[in-house]
Amino acid sequence: MTGPALREAPAGESAPVPASVPVSAAVPAPAPEPALGAAPAPPFARLRRLSLELVKFGLVGGSGVAVNLVVFNLLLHGLGSRPMTATVLASCVAMGTNYLGFRFFAYRDRASRTKRQIALFFVFSGIGVAMESVLFYAAYHGADMSGPLGSNIAKALSIVLASAFRFLVYRTWVFQHDARRL
């Protein structure tokens, strides 16, 4: 009596396969893909995620700029508030609306709301308001941008410059990725 007939192993296999085993069963299954967060994402995927994050940040930030400018103009030109009072109050109102937009839209996939996250947001936003106010003061008083058009240009420029700081600190320290969900 002879043993089972053997045939050549498929490419990549080293041992002969019995004839009774179909070739498809002898071919190893492809290796499973790594779990999410197991390996760093390819550069294109990271660039895509960063681009989407920038778009969301821009949408929330853009609405915050609109709120900031409307409140600023209402206070300064409508109600006759002092320029620095108008810029600080407008920035604070925008800060509140921005928190909601960042928390529930731009960074909703990040760590859950905690006292620490809220405190960090308002600390860094306060620093952003201070930066914005100093920049506004320099343009309004130093560059004599005190008319209705000039004050709005000064306000818009101060918002844009302070927003670069905000983007970096919000994504780095305030709305961090939750390591357990990666």
Side-chain angles (χ1 to χ4, degrees), residues 12 44 52 67 76-78 82 91-92 123-124 126 131 146 148 162 176:
F44 181 73
L52 182 60
V67 166
L76 182 64
H77 302 296
R82 299 184 67 178
S91 296
C92 289
V123 165
F124 285 126
M131 290 172 64
S146 56
Q176 295 176 336

Side-chain angles (χ1 to χ4, degrees), residues 30-157:
E33 293 193 24
L36 278 176
F44 181 73
R46 284 187 296 220
L47 181 61
R48 184 173 179 268
R49 274 197 318 266
L50 181 61
S51 298
L52 182 60
E53 184 179 338
L54 277 168
V55 167
K56 287 180 175 182
F57 184 89
L59 289 171
V60 172
S63 67
V65 168
V67 166
N68 202 331
L69 288 172
V70 166
V71 172
F72 171 74
N73 280 294
L74 176 68
L75 291 171
L76 182 64
H77 302 296
L79 299 176
S81 295
R82 299 184 67 178
M84 292 309 294
T85 302
T87 196
V88 170
L89 289 176
S91 296
C92 289
V93 170
M95 181 191 330
T97 60
N98 282 352
Y99 177 76
L100 297 174
F102 289 129
R103 174 69 187 101
F104 296 107
F105 175 66
Y107 295 117
R108 73 173 179 236
D109 62 328
R110 303 277 177 108
S112 62
R113 185 185 73 213
T114 62
K115 289 178 184 176
R116 180 181 180 274
Q117 183 187 63
I118 294 168
L120 283 174
F121 178 85
F122 286 103
V123 165
F124 285 126
S125 292
I127 294 169
V129 168
M131 290 172 64
E132 192 178 311
S133 299
V134 167
L135 293 166
F136 175 77
Y137 183 87
Y140 189 87
H141 294 292
D144 198 30
M145 299 175 87
S146 56
L149 179 61
S151 64
N152 278 286
I153 292 171
K155 181 67 173 167
L157 287 173

